[in-house]
Amino acid sequence: MDTFDAGAGSILRQPKAVWATAGASVVAFMGIGLVDPILPSIAKGLDANASQVSLLFTSYFLITALAMLVTGFVSSRIGGRKTLLLGLAFVVVFAGLAGTSDTVGQLVGYRAGWGLGNALFVSTALAVIVGAAAGGSAAAILLYESALGLGMACGPLVGALLGDASWRYPFFGTAFLMAIGFLCIAVFLKEQPKPARRTSLLDPVRALGHGGLASAAVSAFFYNYTFFTVLAFTPFVLNMTPYKSGAVFFAWGVLLAVFSVLVAPRMQRRFGSLKVLGGSLVLLAADVLVLGYGDHTTAIVCTVLSGACIGVNNTVYTELALGVSDAPRPVASAGYNFVRWFAAAAAPYFAPKIEEWTDIHVPFVVAAVTAVLGAVVVLVRRRALTHRAQELEPAHATEDSVTVFAD
């Protein structure tokens, strides 16, 4: 039986601690797309332009990227459970404060604090789920990707439903839901053993010295620029009501979840992870190019369809980051995320700027180019990305999800 078959069979039979962490992860990922359908409403409510409002993403992900160097340092000293609770507490406080903002500057600042909490939570949550889940690492990764997909799907919908009354309500709603997540983890998750060796602040950077992990991170950097151009810039292009925009991104999120959890593993088994990743990146490039030059209906369709490619990419990149090197999973994940989240910070800022400098089509041309560059890195560095898988003995092949890397 191969890894994903085994994982699929056990993904629903998990301890309460895993479900509590996964549930809180859903809300954490909701926070990413929550502001999508209400970006125009925030701009109107705070008398700001698209470039200023886009800083909600930039500040959030810039702090998230930098905080990745801190997460392992903190969790290896106070433990995974306390790190999760600390991250959730930050999100509860800063999401609540975001709802009280009177200026776009205040809102951007509170989103930065929110990003710090989310970084502490999300990076640790993956390690906790992998450590506590039944069915091995493949089942844990699928469960984590399920939480990501569900959160990304529900975020725009919740943002639209609450934001239709006021742009402030989605922030208060997130604070409330994260408070529930805090209580669930406090009750159900027991402290896991601390690692034998404490993680230093530079360990994630040192981990990037491994060619395979560095290649995965660089490719994901280019991919994330495309991903967050779609997520942060497209709402201004569609220029729809919160309900309609929320419905578009809900459909987008559903495709993301379905393709990350159900379709990606099957494609990997048949074609190999690197071929699937390269092909999906090229398809994503074509999709955003058509999105940028099509009419309004075409833009809606392409926005939704991009969720399929993004879902596939997210799953493969996560597995690459966790398995391609010999670094401990939390350290590898922190180094990988440190690199890729900088693109998530850059895209929301540069996309509207590029539109101001040129026209509305060019940001999508740039996004298409970055997706292709991600595919080029996969192609050129394919030996480094398969090196770890080739070293594994066949006897280990059913125990580690990295077996799907080899073409």
Side-chain angles (χ1 to χ4, degrees), residues 9 35 41 48 77 82 92 118 132 203 206 239 243 260 272 303 307 311 333 339 345 354 373 376 394 405:
V35 298
S41 299
R77 284 161 175 76
K82 290 179 181 177
V92 170
N118 220 48
D203 277 353
R206 293 191 186 104
N239 194 27
Y243 273 129
S260 65
T303 299
S333 177
V339 174
I354 292 171
L373 287 174
V376 170
F405 295 171

Side-chain angles (χ1 to χ4, degrees), residues 139-374:
I141 289 171
L142 283 179
L143 186 61
Y144 181 81
E145 290 299 333
S146 299
L148 187 155
L150 185 59
M152 295 294 276
C154 293
L157 192 62
V158 172
L161 293 174
L162 296 178
D164 189 58
S166 169
W167 65 263
R168 300 179 187 273
Y169 291 167
F171 297 106
F172 294 138
T174 299
F176 175 75
L177 291 173
M178 278 307 221
I180 294 175
F182 182 98
L183 292 175
C184 289
I185 288 179
V187 172
F188 293 116
L189 180 63
K190 296 180 180 180
E191 186 58 81
Q192 295 182 317
K194 296 179 184 178
R197 176 181 174 275
R198 290 184 174 183
T199 302
S200 76
L201 292 174
L202 293 179
D203 277 353
V205 177
R206 293 191 186 104
L208 291 170
H210 184 280
L213 183 60
S215 300
V218 171
S219 179
F221 173 89
F222 289 122
Y223 155 66
N224 267 258
Y225 186 95
T226 308
F227 177 0
F228 285 94
T229 296
V230 173
L231 190 64
F233 183 62
T234 304
F236 291 105
V237 175
L238 297 180
N239 194 27
M240 303 165 75
T241 65
Y243 273 129
K244 291 181 179 179
S245 182
V248 169
F249 279 95
F250 174 72
W252 169 86
V254 168
L255 274 187
L256 187 154
V258 169
F259 274 75
S260 65
V261 177
L262 300 178
V263 178
R266 288 172 171 78
M267 294 177 67
Q268 288 172 289
R269 287 198 301 269
R270 182 168 182 180
F271 301 108
S273 287
L274 299 187
K275 289 179 181 176
V276 169
L277 182 58
S280 181
L281 287 167
V282 171
L283 286 175
L284 180 61
D287 180 86
V288 297
L289 201 58
V290 175
L291 192 164
Y293 281 92
D295 58 20
H296 192 259
T297 301
T298 302
I300 292 173
V301 172
C302 288
T303 299
V304 173
L305 290 179
S306 70
C309 297
I310 289 170
V312 171
N313 294 338
N314 286 350
T315 293
V316 181
Y317 274 122
T318 299
E319 292 170 4
L320 284 173
L322 292 183
V324 75
S325 74
D326 293 319
R329 285 191 178 101
V331 174
S333 177
Y336 160 78
N337 282 300
F338 171 69
V339 174
R340 76 180 182 111
W341 286 126
F342 276 111
Y349 175 77
F350 282 111
K353 286 293 185 184
I354 292 171
E355 181 200 9
E356 292 174 10
W357 299 332
T358 56
D359 60 50
I360 200 168
H361 308 297
V362 178
F364 294 100
V365 174
V366 174
V369 170
T370 56
V372 171
L373 287 174

